Amino acid sequence: MKSAPFEHHQPTSVGEAVSLLESLDGPTVLSGGQSLVPMLRFRLANPDVVVDINGIEELDYLHEEDGSLKIGALARHADVEHSDLIAEKYGSFADAAPLVADPQIRNRGTVVGSVAQADPKGDWGSLLIAHDGEVVAQGPDGERVIPADEFFLLPYDTALDEDELITEVRVPVPSAREGSAYHKLKRKTGDYAMAGVGVRLQFDDDGVIESAGIGMTAVDITNARASDAEDHLEGERPSPDLFEEAGELAAEQSHPESDEHGDAAYKERMVDVLTQRALGDAAERAGVVRRTVKP
């Protein structure tokens, strides 16, 4: 099946794109197209107007600047997967990138497009939450910065206004005693997550957990924060018992649904296990301990 006819615009600057979003009636933004194009093909989406931002070269970047890792709206999943900067300093992002769908999708799909899609089974939203990240949007009234915790409202629904364009997502540059990790359970390559957990741990000079971030994938109506587990970790020294308790708290705060891949109780148990594993990896990457997960 072919898509229904639509009006196609190709801006070459952010300002031009925002003007189009403001002036056109119900426009849909196209970046990587790995969600939109299949929906167009099967006519599950029938936009009258598509604003294709792939010609805006200024949005194609992945770098550190002003104390943040900044990922532009046209940076592909594969850019994250193959980045030396990511491999060296951002363990959770390095873990997540090769787990996104399959190579074809990673080569075309964008990190920001995935965040904008707001699928609760998407990986990047959980990492933005774990890292206290932000979504930067440009609209007719200028730039707006939206904390990740406030961005995801419902499945496929966000705090973004119709005339705003996401230009980048960003997370703070990690400190010297910080580690992060992402663990994900999926049935096979190309599948969405059955459950996933992203973790960030920051330690003080005495090896005590100064701050913790935990984001969960596919176990609530949006990517969700395990705040009870975070609170339990902060101010404590890492240990297998502590991480086991945090895993249990994260599972209790998740709200998965039963489906053909497993019942809710099984997915809660996976949140528990994945949280413990991710915490262990994060602590090890921070250089604090070698093993903090029970065998």
PDB file of all heavy atoms in Angstrom, residues 73-112:
ATOM      1  N   ALA A  73      18.967  17.082  16.614  1.00  0.00           N
ATOM      2  CA  ALA A  73      17.766  16.411  16.122  1.00  0.00           C
ATOM      3  C   ALA A  73      18.023  15.480  14.950  1.00  0.00           C
ATOM      4  O   ALA A  73      17.193  14.613  14.652  1.00  0.00           O
ATOM      5  CB  ALA A  73      16.709  17.448  15.728  1.00  0.00           C
ATOM      6  N   LEU A  74      19.165  15.615  14.279  1.00  0.00           N
ATOM      7  CA  LEU A  74      19.466  14.732  13.148  1.00  0.00           C
ATOM      8  C   LEU A  74      20.590  13.743  13.445  1.00  0.00           C
ATOM      9  O   LEU A  74      21.059  13.047  12.541  1.00  0.00           O
ATOM     10  CB  LEU A  74      19.809  15.552  11.900  1.00  0.00           C
ATOM     11  CG  LEU A  74      18.623  16.298  11.270  1.00  0.00           C
ATOM     12  CD1 LEU A  74      19.068  17.043  10.029  1.00  0.00           C
ATOM     13  CD2 LEU A  74      17.468  15.350  10.939  1.00  0.00           C
ATOM     14  N   ALA A  75      21.022  13.652  14.690  1.00  0.00           N
ATOM     15  CA  ALA A  75      21.999  12.618  15.059  1.00  0.00           C
ATOM     16  C   ALA A  75      21.301  11.261  15.069  1.00  0.00           C
ATOM     17  O   ALA A  75      20.237  11.102  15.669  1.00  0.00           O
ATOM     18  CB  ALA A  75      22.590  12.917  16.429  1.00  0.00           C
ATOM     19  N   ARG A  76      21.876  10.296  14.381  1.00  0.00           N
ATOM     20  CA  ARG A  76      21.265   8.974  14.249  1.00  0.00           C
ATOM     21  C   ARG A  76      21.658   8.079  15.426  1.00  0.00           C
ATOM     22  O   ARG A  76      22.666   8.303  16.101  1.00  0.00           O
ATOM     23  CB  ARG A  76      21.708   8.317  12.933  1.00  0.00           C
ATOM     24  CG  ARG A  76      21.654   9.240  11.716  1.00  0.00           C
ATOM     25  CD  ARG A  76      20.247   9.596  11.278  1.00  0.00           C
ATOM     26  NE  ARG A  76      20.252  10.695  10.313  1.00  0.00           N
ATOM     27  CZ  ARG A  76      19.179  11.140   9.666  1.00  0.00           C
ATOM     28  NH1 ARG A  76      18.011  10.553   9.874  1.00  0.00           N
ATOM     29  NH2 ARG A  76      19.265  12.147   8.835  1.00  0.00           N
ATOM     30  N   HIS A  77      20.866   7.035  15.629  1.00  0.00           N
ATOM     31  CA  HIS A  77      21.226   6.044  16.645  1.00  0.00           C
ATOM     32  C   HIS A  77      22.642   5.514  16.393  1.00  0.00           C
ATOM     33  O   HIS A  77      23.414   5.308  17.333  1.00  0.00           O
ATOM     34  CB  HIS A  77      20.253   4.860  16.612  1.00  0.00           C
ATOM     35  CG  HIS A  77      18.813   5.234  16.743  1.00  0.00           C
ATOM     36  ND1 HIS A  77      18.300   5.800  17.885  1.00  0.00           N
ATOM     37  CD2 HIS A  77      17.770   5.103  15.889  1.00  0.00           C
ATOM     38  CE1 HIS A  77      16.993   6.001  17.721  1.00  0.00           C
ATOM     39  NE2 HIS A  77      16.667   5.589  16.520  1.00  0.00           N
ATOM     40  N   ALA A  78      22.965   5.312  15.135  1.00  0.00           N
ATOM     41  CA  ALA A  78      24.287   4.780  14.779  1.00  0.00           C
ATOM     42  C   ALA A  78      25.404   5.746  15.140  1.00  0.00           C
ATOM     43  O   ALA A  78      26.531   5.318  15.426  1.00  0.00           O
ATOM     44  CB  ALA A  78      24.335   4.453  13.284  1.00  0.00           C
ATOM     45  N   ASP A  79      25.136   7.050  15.118  1.00  0.00           N
ATOM     46  CA  ASP A  79      26.141   8.021  15.523  1.00  0.00           C
ATOM     47  C   ASP A  79      26.507   7.823  16.993  1.00  0.00           C
ATOM     48  O   ASP A  79      27.678   7.929  17.373  1.00  0.00           O
ATOM     49  CB  ASP A  79      25.627   9.446  15.314  1.00  0.00           C
ATOM     50  CG  ASP A  79      25.429   9.782  13.850  1.00  0.00           C
ATOM     51  OD1 ASP A  79      26.154   9.223  13.004  1.00  0.00           O
ATOM     52  OD2 ASP A  79      24.539  10.601  13.551  1.00  0.00           O
ATOM     53  N   VAL A  80      25.500   7.551  17.817  1.00  0.00           N
ATOM     54  CA  VAL A  80      25.747   7.281  19.230  1.00  0.00           C
ATOM     55  C   VAL A  80      26.486   5.960  19.379  1.00  0.00           C
ATOM     56  O   VAL A  80      27.451   5.841  20.143  1.00  0.00           O
ATOM     57  CB  VAL A  80      24.421   7.250  20.023  1.00  0.00           C
ATOM     58  CG1 VAL A  80      24.675   6.936  21.495  1.00  0.00           C
ATOM     59  CG2 VAL A  80      23.681   8.572  19.884  1.00  0.00           C
ATOM     60  N   GLU A  81      26.055   4.960  18.628  1.00  0.00           N
ATOM     61  CA  GLU A  81      26.645   3.619  18.719  1.00  0.00           C
ATOM     62  C   GLU A  81      28.132   3.630  18.405  1.00  0.00           C
ATOM     63  O   GLU A  81      28.912   2.895  19.036  1.00  0.00           O
ATOM     64  CB  GLU A  81      25.913   2.684  17.760  1.00  0.00           C
ATOM     65  CG  GLU A  81      26.401   1.254  17.795  1.00  0.00           C
ATOM     66  CD  GLU A  81      25.642   0.363  16.821  1.00  0.00           C
ATOM     67  OE1 GLU A  81      24.822   0.891  16.022  1.00  0.00           O
ATOM     68  OE2 GLU A  81      25.871  -0.861  16.856  1.00  0.00           O
ATOM     69  N   HIS A  82      28.555   4.458  17.458  1.00  0.00           N
ATOM     70  CA  HIS A  82      29.942   4.426  16.990  1.00  0.00           C
ATOM     71  C   HIS A  82      30.777   5.602  17.498  1.00  0.00           C
ATOM     72  O   HIS A  82      31.915   5.789  17.047  1.00  0.00           O
ATOM     73  CB  HIS A  82      29.967   4.403  15.463  1.00  0.00           C
ATOM     74  CG  HIS A  82      29.252   3.220  14.867  1.00  0.00           C
ATOM     75  ND1 HIS A  82      29.649   1.920  15.116  1.00  0.00           N
ATOM     76  CD2 HIS A  82      28.152   3.148  14.075  1.00  0.00           C
ATOM     77  CE1 HIS A  82      28.830   1.093  14.480  1.00  0.00           C
ATOM     78  NE2 HIS A  82      27.919   1.806  13.851  1.00  0.00           N
ATOM     79  N   SER A  83      30.256   6.364  18.441  1.00  0.00           N
ATOM     80  CA  SER A  83      30.960   7.536  18.948  1.00  0.00           C
ATOM     81  C   SER A  83      32.014   7.149  19.982  1.00  0.00           C
ATOM     82  O   SER A  83      31.712   6.470  20.977  1.00  0.00           O
ATOM     83  CB  SER A  83      29.962   8.510  19.576  1.00  0.00           C
ATOM     84  OG  SER A  83      30.606   9.477  20.366  1.00  0.00           O
ATOM     85  N   ASP A  84      33.244   7.608  19.792  1.00  0.00           N
ATOM     86  CA  ASP A  84      34.299   7.386  20.785  1.00  0.00           C
ATOM     87  C   ASP A  84      33.992   8.126  22.085  1.00  0.00           C
ATOM     88  O   ASP A  84      34.295   7.630  23.177  1.00  0.00           O
ATOM     89  CB  ASP A  84      35.646   7.841  20.231  1.00  0.00           C
ATOM     90  CG  ASP A  84      36.145   6.965  19.092  1.00  0.00           C
ATOM     91  OD1 ASP A  84      35.701   5.801  19.007  1.00  0.00           O
ATOM     92  OD2 ASP A  84      36.956   7.456  18.279  1.00  0.00           O
ATOM     93  N   LEU A  85      33.425   9.307  21.974  1.00  0.00           N
ATOM     94  CA  LEU A  85      33.052  10.078  23.162  1.00  0.00           C
ATOM     95  C   LEU A  85      32.049   9.316  24.017  1.00  0.00           C
ATOM     96  O   LEU A  85      32.202   9.220  25.242  1.00  0.00           O
ATOM     97  CB  LEU A  85      32.456  11.433  22.743  1.00  0.00           C
ATOM     98  CG  LEU A  85      31.843  12.277  23.863  1.00  0.00           C
ATOM     99  CD1 LEU A  85      32.908  12.696  24.871  1.00  0.00           C
ATOM    100  CD2 LEU A  85      31.134  13.501  23.272  1.00  0.00           C
ATOM    101  N   ILE A  86      31.039   8.748  23.383  1.00  0.00           N
ATOM    102  CA  ILE A  86      30.021   7.978  24.105  1.00  0.00           C
ATOM    103  C   ILE A  86      30.651   6.751  24.749  1.00  0.00           C
ATOM    104  O   ILE A  86      30.415   6.445  25.921  1.00  0.00           O
ATOM    105  CB  ILE A  86      28.885   7.566  23.152  1.00  0.00           C
ATOM    106  CG1 ILE A  86      28.136   8.799  22.634  1.00  0.00           C
ATOM    107  CG2 ILE A  86      27.931   6.598  23.841  1.00  0.00           C
ATOM    108  CD1 ILE A  86      27.421   9.597  23.693  1.00  0.00           C
ATOM    109  N   ALA A  87      31.479   6.046  24.002  1.00  0.00           N
ATOM    110  CA  ALA A  87      32.108   4.832  24.524  1.00  0.00           C
ATOM    111  C   ALA A  87      32.984   5.132  25.731  1.00  0.00           C
ATOM    112  O   ALA A  87      33.068   4.341  26.674  1.00  0.00           O
ATOM    113  CB  ALA A  87      32.931   4.161  23.429  1.00  0.00           C
ATOM    114  N   GLU A  88      33.615   6.288  25.739  1.00  0.00           N
ATOM    115  CA  GLU A  88      34.556   6.631  26.801  1.00  0.00           C
ATOM    116  C   GLU A  88      33.864   7.109  28.069  1.00  0.00           C
ATOM    117  O   GLU A  88      34.290   6.795  29.187  1.00  0.00           O
ATOM    118  CB  GLU A  88      35.502   7.728  26.305  1.00  0.00           C
ATOM    119  CG  GLU A  88      36.519   8.182  27.342  1.00  0.00           C
ATOM    120  CD  GLU A  88      37.379   9.333  26.845  1.00  0.00           C
ATOM    121  OE1 GLU A  88      37.270   9.702  25.661  1.00  0.00           O
ATOM    122  OE2 GLU A  88      38.159   9.860  27.663  1.00  0.00           O
ATOM    123  N   LYS A  89      32.744   7.855  27.941  1.00  0.00           N
ATOM    124  CA  LYS A  89      32.211   8.572  29.101  1.00  0.00           C
ATOM    125  C   LYS A  89      30.753   8.296  29.431  1.00  0.00           C
ATOM    126  O   LYS A  89      30.318   8.620  30.545  1.00  0.00           O
ATOM    127  CB  LYS A  89      32.389  10.081  28.895  1.00  0.00           C
ATOM    128  CG  LYS A  89      33.834  10.512  28.753  1.00  0.00           C
ATOM    129  CD  LYS A  89      33.971  11.993  28.486  1.00  0.00           C
ATOM    130  CE  LYS A  89      33.513  12.864  29.629  1.00  0.00           C
ATOM    131  NZ  LYS A  89      33.807  14.291  29.374  1.00  0.00           N
ATOM    132  N   TYR A  90      29.996   7.719  28.519  1.00  0.00           N
ATOM    133  CA  TYR A  90      28.554   7.587  28.720  1.00  0.00           C
ATOM    134  C   TYR A  90      28.137   6.128  28.560  1.00  0.00           C
ATOM    135  O   TYR A  90      27.620   5.699  27.527  1.00  0.00           O
ATOM    136  CB  TYR A  90      27.790   8.485  27.735  1.00  0.00           C
ATOM    137  CG  TYR A  90      28.107   9.958  27.900  1.00  0.00           C
ATOM    138  CD1 TYR A  90      29.187  10.533  27.230  1.00  0.00           C
ATOM    139  CD2 TYR A  90      27.354  10.757  28.759  1.00  0.00           C
ATOM    140  CE1 TYR A  90      29.489  11.881  27.399  1.00  0.00           C
ATOM    141  CE2 TYR A  90      27.649  12.102  28.924  1.00  0.00           C
ATOM    142  CZ  TYR A  90      28.724  12.660  28.246  1.00  0.00           C
ATOM    143  OH  TYR A  90      29.022  13.995  28.417  1.00  0.00           O
ATOM    144  N   GLY A  91      28.383   5.349  29.622  1.00  0.00           N
ATOM    145  CA  GLY A  91      28.165   3.907  29.541  1.00  0.00           C
ATOM    146  C   GLY A  91      26.751   3.520  29.200  1.00  0.00           C
ATOM    147  O   GLY A  91      26.528   2.595  28.413  1.00  0.00           O
ATOM    148  N   SER A  92      25.769   4.203  29.769  1.00  0.00           N
ATOM    149  CA  SER A  92      24.377   3.834  29.509  1.00  0.00           C
ATOM    150  C   SER A  92      23.997   4.063  28.053  1.00  0.00           C
ATOM    151  O   SER A  92      23.277   3.260  27.456  1.00  0.00           O
ATOM    152  CB  SER A  92      23.441   4.634  30.426  1.00  0.00           C
ATOM    153  OG  SER A  92      23.587   6.028  30.207  1.00  0.00           O
ATOM    154  N   PHE A  93      24.488   5.159  27.460  1.00  0.00           N
ATOM    155  CA  PHE A  93      24.204   5.436  26.053  1.00  0.00           C
ATOM    156  C   PHE A  93      24.903   4.414  25.156  1.00  0.00           C
ATOM    157  O   PHE A  93      24.334   3.969  24.147  1.00  0.00           O
ATOM    158  CB  PHE A  93      24.652   6.857  25.700  1.00  0.00           C
ATOM    159  CG  PHE A  93      23.725   7.930  26.202  1.00  0.00           C
ATOM    160  CD1 PHE A  93      23.707   8.280  27.542  1.00  0.00           C
ATOM    161  CD2 PHE A  93      22.863   8.575  25.341  1.00  0.00           C
ATOM    162  CE1 PHE A  93      22.857   9.259  28.019  1.00  0.00           C
ATOM    163  CE2 PHE A  93      21.998   9.559  25.795  1.00  0.00           C
ATOM    164  CZ  PHE A  93      21.996   9.903  27.149  1.00  0.00           C
ATOM    165  N   ALA A  94      26.138   4.047  25.529  1.00  0.00           N
ATOM    166  CA  ALA A  94      26.861   3.028  24.765  1.00  0.00           C
ATOM    167  C   ALA A  94      26.162   1.673  24.858  1.00  0.00           C
ATOM    168  O   ALA A  94      26.162   0.899  23.896  1.00  0.00           O
ATOM    169  CB  ALA A  94      28.292   2.918  25.271  1.00  0.00           C
ATOM    170  N   ASP A  95      25.575   1.369  26.017  1.00  0.00           N
ATOM    171  CA  ASP A  95      24.817   0.123  26.169  1.00  0.00           C
ATOM    172  C   ASP A  95      23.560   0.127  25.315  1.00  0.00           C
ATOM    173  O   ASP A  95      23.213  -0.875  24.681  1.00  0.00           O
ATOM    174  CB  ASP A  95      24.404  -0.069  27.636  1.00  0.00           C
ATOM    175  CG  ASP A  95      25.561  -0.369  28.560  1.00  0.00           C
ATOM    176  OD1 ASP A  95      26.620  -0.826  28.077  1.00  0.00           O
ATOM    177  OD2 ASP A  95      25.403  -0.150  29.776  1.00  0.00           O
ATOM    178  N   ALA A  96      22.847   1.247  25.310  1.00  0.00           N
ATOM    179  CA  ALA A  96      21.525   1.300  24.692  1.00  0.00           C
ATOM    180  C   ALA A  96      21.575   1.322  23.169  1.00  0.00           C
ATOM    181  O   ALA A  96      20.752   0.679  22.507  1.00  0.00           O
ATOM    182  CB  ALA A  96      20.769   2.526  25.199  1.00  0.00           C
ATOM    183  N   ALA A  97      22.532   2.065  22.606  1.00  0.00           N
ATOM    184  CA  ALA A  97      22.521   2.298  21.157  1.00  0.00           C
ATOM    185  C   ALA A  97      22.484   1.020  20.324  1.00  0.00           C
ATOM    186  O   ALA A  97      21.662   0.896  19.411  1.00  0.00           O
ATOM    187  CB  ALA A  97      23.708   3.176  20.763  1.00  0.00           C
ATOM    188  N   PRO A  98      23.352   0.022  20.582  1.00  0.00           N
ATOM    189  CA  PRO A  98      23.300  -1.189  19.744  1.00  0.00           C
ATOM    190  C   PRO A  98      22.087  -2.068  20.003  1.00  0.00           C
ATOM    191  O   PRO A  98      21.860  -3.022  19.268  1.00  0.00           O
ATOM    192  CB  PRO A  98      24.594  -1.920  20.129  1.00  0.00           C
ATOM    193  CG  PRO A  98      24.944  -1.422  21.475  1.00  0.00           C
ATOM    194  CD  PRO A  98      24.478  -0.012  21.528  1.00  0.00           C
ATOM    195  N   LEU A  99      21.309  -1.750  21.031  1.00  0.00           N
ATOM    196  CA  LEU A  99      20.103  -2.520  21.331  1.00  0.00           C
ATOM    197  C   LEU A  99      18.859  -1.931  20.675  1.00  0.00           C
ATOM    198  O   LEU A  99      17.773  -2.508  20.760  1.00  0.00           O
ATOM    199  CB  LEU A  99      19.885  -2.589  22.851  1.00  0.00           C
ATOM    200  CG  LEU A  99      20.987  -3.255  23.671  1.00  0.00           C
ATOM    201  CD1 LEU A  99      20.653  -3.201  25.156  1.00  0.00           C
ATOM    202  CD2 LEU A  99      21.206  -4.698  23.224  1.00  0.00           C
ATOM    203  N   VAL A 100      19.003  -0.758  20.045  1.00  0.00           N
ATOM    204  CA  VAL A 100      17.864  -0.136  19.371  1.00  0.00           C
ATOM    205  C   VAL A 100      17.571  -0.875  18.066  1.00  0.00           C
ATOM    206  O   VAL A 100      18.399  -0.896  17.154  1.00  0.00           O
ATOM    207  CB  VAL A 100      18.140   1.351  19.078  1.00  0.00           C
ATOM    208  CG1 VAL A 100      17.019   1.949  18.234  1.00  0.00           C
ATOM    209  CG2 VAL A 100      18.296   2.133  20.385  1.00  0.00           C
ATOM    210  N   ALA A 101      16.434  -1.534  18.003  1.00  0.00           N
ATOM    211  CA  ALA A 101      15.933  -2.156  16.764  1.00  0.00           C
ATOM    212  C   ALA A 101      17.021  -2.964  16.057  1.00  0.00           C
ATOM    213  O   ALA A 101      17.613  -3.868  16.636  1.00  0.00           O
ATOM    214  CB  ALA A 101      15.349  -1.076  15.861  1.00  0.00           C
ATOM    215  N   ASP A 102      17.305  -2.632  14.792  1.00  0.00           N
ATOM    216  CA  ASP A 102      18.286  -3.356  13.990  1.00  0.00           C
ATOM    217  C   ASP A 102      19.172  -2.341  13.261  1.00  0.00           C
ATOM    218  O   ASP A 102      18.905  -1.138  13.296  1.00  0.00           O
ATOM    219  CB  ASP A 102      17.598  -4.299  13.004  1.00  0.00           C
ATOM    220  CG  ASP A 102      16.539  -3.599  12.155  1.00  0.00           C
ATOM    221  OD1 ASP A 102      16.812  -2.477  11.675  1.00  0.00           O
ATOM    222  OD2 ASP A 102      15.442  -4.147  11.990  1.00  0.00           O
ATOM    223  N   PRO A 103      20.258  -2.802  12.601  1.00  0.00           N
ATOM    224  CA  PRO A 103      21.192  -1.844  11.989  1.00  0.00           C
ATOM    225  C   PRO A 103      20.554  -0.895  10.988  1.00  0.00           C
ATOM    226  O   PRO A 103      20.931   0.283  10.917  1.00  0.00           O
ATOM    227  CB  PRO A 103      22.235  -2.748  11.320  1.00  0.00           C
ATOM    228  CG  PRO A 103      22.223  -3.999  12.136  1.00  0.00           C
ATOM    229  CD  PRO A 103      20.787  -4.190  12.544  1.00  0.00           C
ATOM    230  N   GLN A 104      19.599  -1.386  10.192  1.00  0.00           N
ATOM    231  CA  GLN A 104      18.974  -0.510   9.197  1.00  0.00           C
ATOM    232  C   GLN A 104      18.265   0.662   9.865  1.00  0.00           C
ATOM    233  O   GLN A 104      18.389   1.816   9.431  1.00  0.00           O
ATOM    234  CB  GLN A 104      17.968  -1.307   8.343  1.00  0.00           C
ATOM    235  CG  GLN A 104      18.610  -2.359   7.462  1.00  0.00           C
ATOM    236  CD  GLN A 104      18.671  -3.717   8.137  1.00  0.00           C
ATOM    237  OE1 GLN A 104      18.785  -3.815   9.364  1.00  0.00           O
ATOM    238  NE2 GLN A 104      18.585  -4.776   7.346  1.00  0.00           N
ATOM    239  N   ILE A 105      17.542   0.374  10.930  1.00  0.00           N
ATOM    240  CA  ILE A 105      16.825   1.436  11.634  1.00  0.00           C
ATOM    241  C   ILE A 105      17.805   2.354  12.350  1.00  0.00           C
ATOM    242  O   ILE A 105      17.641   3.580  12.359  1.00  0.00           O
ATOM    243  CB  ILE A 105      15.799   0.831  12.612  1.00  0.00           C
ATOM    244  CG1 ILE A 105      14.628   0.234  11.815  1.00  0.00           C
ATOM    245  CG2 ILE A 105      15.305   1.869  13.619  1.00  0.00           C
ATOM    246  CD1 ILE A 105      13.596  -0.481  12.656  1.00  0.00           C
ATOM    247  N   ARG A 106      18.853   1.799  12.948  1.00  0.00           N
ATOM    248  CA  ARG A 106      19.829   2.640  13.634  1.00  0.00           C
ATOM    249  C   ARG A 106      20.550   3.583  12.673  1.00  0.00           C
ATOM    250  O   ARG A 106      20.955   4.683  13.059  1.00  0.00           O
ATOM    251  CB  ARG A 106      20.851   1.776  14.387  1.00  0.00           C
ATOM    252  CG  ARG A 106      20.228   1.001  15.540  1.00  0.00           C
ATOM    253  CD  ARG A 106      21.276   0.511  16.503  1.00  0.00           C
ATOM    254  NE  ARG A 106      22.196  -0.472  15.963  1.00  0.00           N
ATOM    255  CZ  ARG A 106      21.973  -1.782  15.938  1.00  0.00           C
ATOM    256  NH1 ARG A 106      20.831  -2.270  16.406  1.00  0.00           N
ATOM    257  NH2 ARG A 106      22.873  -2.607  15.441  1.00  0.00           N
ATOM    258  N   ASN A 107      20.725   3.171  11.431  1.00  0.00           N
ATOM    259  CA  ASN A 107      21.411   4.010  10.455  1.00  0.00           C
ATOM    260  C   ASN A 107      20.578   5.214  10.019  1.00  0.00           C
ATOM    261  O   ASN A 107      21.131   6.235   9.600  1.00  0.00           O
ATOM    262  CB  ASN A 107      21.790   3.194   9.216  1.00  0.00           C
ATOM    263  CG  ASN A 107      22.973   2.281   9.474  1.00  0.00           C
ATOM    264  OD1 ASN A 107      23.771   2.530  10.371  1.00  0.00           O
ATOM    265  ND2 ASN A 107      23.084   1.215   8.701  1.00  0.00           N
ATOM    266  N   ARG A 108      19.254   5.115  10.095  1.00  0.00           N
ATOM    267  CA  ARG A 108      18.385   6.208   9.647  1.00  0.00           C
ATOM    268  C   ARG A 108      17.635   6.883  10.790  1.00  0.00           C
ATOM    269  O   ARG A 108      17.432   8.096  10.770  1.00  0.00           O
ATOM    270  CB  ARG A 108      17.357   5.693   8.625  1.00  0.00           C
ATOM    271  CG  ARG A 108      17.919   5.354   7.268  1.00  0.00           C
ATOM    272  CD  ARG A 108      18.547   6.586   6.622  1.00  0.00           C
ATOM    273  NE  ARG A 108      17.624   7.700   6.525  1.00  0.00           N
ATOM    274  CZ  ARG A 108      17.988   8.961   6.275  1.00  0.00           C
ATOM    275  NH1 ARG A 108      19.261   9.259   6.113  1.00  0.00           N
ATOM    276  NH2 ARG A 108      17.097   9.932   6.202  1.00  0.00           N
ATOM    277  N   GLY A 109      17.219   6.110  11.770  1.00  0.00           N
ATOM    278  CA  GLY A 109      16.440   6.676  12.862  1.00  0.00           C
ATOM    279  C   GLY A 109      17.262   7.622  13.717  1.00  0.00           C
ATOM    280  O   GLY A 109      18.480   7.487  13.837  1.00  0.00           O
ATOM    281  N   THR A 110      16.606   8.592  14.337  1.00  0.00           N
ATOM    282  CA  THR A 110      17.284   9.591  15.152  1.00  0.00           C
ATOM    283  C   THR A 110      16.908   9.433  16.625  1.00  0.00           C
ATOM    284  O   THR A 110      15.812   8.999  16.963  1.00  0.00           O
ATOM    285  CB  THR A 110      16.923  11.017  14.706  1.00  0.00           C
ATOM    286  OG1 THR A 110      15.525  11.240  14.908  1.00  0.00           O
ATOM    287  CG2 THR A 110      17.263  11.226  13.232  1.00  0.00           C
ATOM    288  N   VAL A 111      17.848   9.823  17.475  1.00  0.00           N
ATOM    289  CA  VAL A 111      17.589   9.788  18.914  1.00  0.00           C
ATOM    290  C   VAL A 111      16.440  10.729  19.271  1.00  0.00           C
ATOM    291  O   VAL A 111      15.507  10.368  19.993  1.00  0.00           O
ATOM    292  CB  VAL A 111      18.859  10.171  19.697  1.00  0.00           C
ATOM    293  CG1 VAL A 111      18.569  10.284  21.195  1.00  0.00           C
ATOM    294  CG2 VAL A 111      19.968   9.155  19.441  1.00  0.00           C
ATOM    295  N   VAL A 112      16.500  11.943  18.756  1.00  0.00           N
ATOM    296  CA  VAL A 112      15.463  12.929  19.062  1.00  0.00           C
ATOM    297  C   VAL A 112      14.109  12.497  18.513  1.00  0.00           C
ATOM    298  O   VAL A 112      13.074  12.683  19.168  1.00  0.00           O
ATOM    299  CB  VAL A 112      15.867  14.313  18.519  1.00  0.00           C
ATOM    300  CG1 VAL A 112      14.676  15.268  18.540  1.00  0.00           C
ATOM    301  CG2 VAL A 112      17.010  14.883  19.344  1.00  0.00           C
TER     302      VAL A 112
END
